[in-house]
Amino acid sequence: MNFLLFYRIDSIVLFPDQEDQLICLGDKKGIYIVKVAYLNQSQGTVPVTPFPSSKVWSRAWPHRVGFFLWQAFLNRLPTLSNLHRRKSVLDTPNLRYLCGNAVETEDHLLVQCPLASRVWNYFINVVGSPIFTISSIKEVVVGWKSFPLSMQGLQLWKRLPAAIPWGLWKARNAIAFFGKISNLYDVIRDIKIDAFNWSKGLDCQEKRYVSSFQMLFMA
């Protein structure tokens, strides 16, 4: 070990007439970039699905929603399962807010639980597609496919992979923090509002957009 250390030190070439500079070895230009540092750190522990930066940090939805998707993709949302693992809550991870069928994890809460499945299938049926199985939030973010829709419908459809998980997360938090239970149609309505507003460059809660939402999916 000492021999290797001395070998590396001895291989360093000093230039007394030049000013010292900080150089990031992970970048070709020697410039430190957070994205490059993240990718270099991830090497050796390569995830099953590469992190889809361009799809998560999209301009199609607000930045806070991108941050939410980033947390969900990396299994860092403050679900009861994660909070229990971090010893941040005294409750057991078996407590669930949206359903009572499984431990509250990201994938179960946002994709697999009965309420989540019904929400996903509702929007998939709107475009006339056969119901397909989604098992994880990663599959949604990475593999969301387009359908032959109108131009406005396509703009709405591309926002659903973020709007649906975001709507389910808000419904979950409404129960957790305020004891407010939303039914299926309330959740779907709020998702429509978000998707429509984002497609118009807005980030508000105006109900007037809901009535025309489904018509825009018509090719």
Side-chain angles (χ1 to χ4, degrees), residues 105-170:
T105 63
E106 282 90 347
D107 288 338
H108 180 78
L109 176 66
L110 304 177
V111 176
Q112 300 169 357
C113 87
L115 177 62
S117 296
R118 292 174 68 187
V119 171
W120 286 105
N121 289 333
Y122 169 87
F123 286 100
I124 291 170
N125 286 334
V126 167
V127 297
S129 172
I131 295 178
F132 54 87
T133 302
I134 303 174
S135 61
S136 71
I137 191 65
K138 296 180 182 180
E139 290 183 10
V140 173
V141 175
V142 175
W144 192 250
K145 298 180 180 180
S146 297
F147 287 92
L149 304 169
S150 66
M151 183 177 298
Q152 289 179 307
L154 195 59
Q155 289 301 314
L156 293 172
W157 182 259
K158 69 184 291 186
R159 286 164 172 82
L160 289 181
I164 295 176
W166 180 245
L168 291 167
W169 181 246
K170 289 193 297 183

Side-chain angles (χ1 to χ4, degrees), residues 83-216:
L83 291 175
H84 183 77
R85 188 176 66 251
R86 300 169 193 165
K87 299 182 179 180
S88 298
V89 292
L90 297 178
D91 305 272
T92 67
N94 293 321
L95 175 65
R96 309 54 108 176
Y97 287 115
L98 287 187
C99 71
N101 294 339
V103 175
E104 187 187 70
T105 63
E106 282 90 347
D107 288 338
H108 180 78
L109 176 66
L110 304 177
V111 176
Q112 300 169 357
C113 87
L115 177 62
S117 296
R118 292 174 68 187
V119 171
W120 286 105
N121 289 333
Y122 169 87
F123 286 100
I124 291 170
N125 286 334
V126 167
V127 297
S129 172
I131 295 178
F132 54 87
T133 302
I134 303 174
S135 61
S136 71
I137 191 65
K138 296 180 182 180
E139 290 183 10
V140 173
V141 175
V142 175
W144 192 250
K145 298 180 180 180
S146 297
F147 287 92
L149 304 169
S150 66
M151 183 177 298
Q152 289 179 307
L154 195 59
Q155 289 301 314
L156 293 172
W157 182 259
K158 69 184 291 186
R159 286 164 172 82
L160 289 181
I164 295 176
W166 180 245
L168 291 167
W169 181 246
K170 289 193 297 183
R172 178 264 190 200
N173 288 339
I175 299 173
F177 299 116
F178 305 106
K180 180 181 178 181
I181 300 177
S182 300
N183 60 40
L184 173 67
Y185 301 103
D186 290 335
V187 176
I188 290 175
R189 179 203 61 205
D190 290 343
I191 291 170
K192 290 179 178 180
I193 293 171
D194 282 338
F196 201 110
N197 285 329
W198 298 348
S199 71
K200 299 298 181 181
L202 303 173
D203 186 13
C204 56
Q205 295 292 328
E206 297 181 25
K207 309 297 185 187
R208 62 189 178 89
Y209 294 136
V210 178
S211 60
S212 58
F213 182 96
Q214 187 163 338
M215 293 178 60
L216 295 174

Side-chain angles (χ1 to χ4, degrees), residues 2-41:
N2 289 336
F3 173 78
L4 180 60
L5 176 62
F6 285 124
Y7 174 79
R8 290 186 175 180
I9 294 176
D10 189 58
S11 65
I12 298 176
V13 179
L14 300 177
F15 299 93
D17 298 332
Q18 295 184 11
E19 185 177 352
D20 293 340
Q21 297 180 6
L22 292 175
I23 297 177
C24 178
L25 298 179
D27 182 69
K28 294 180 180 180
K29 296 181 180 180
I31 302 174
Y32 176 79
I33 302 174
V34 174
K35 178 180 179 180
V36 174
Y38 174 82
L39 292 175
N40 288 335
Q41 186 180 16

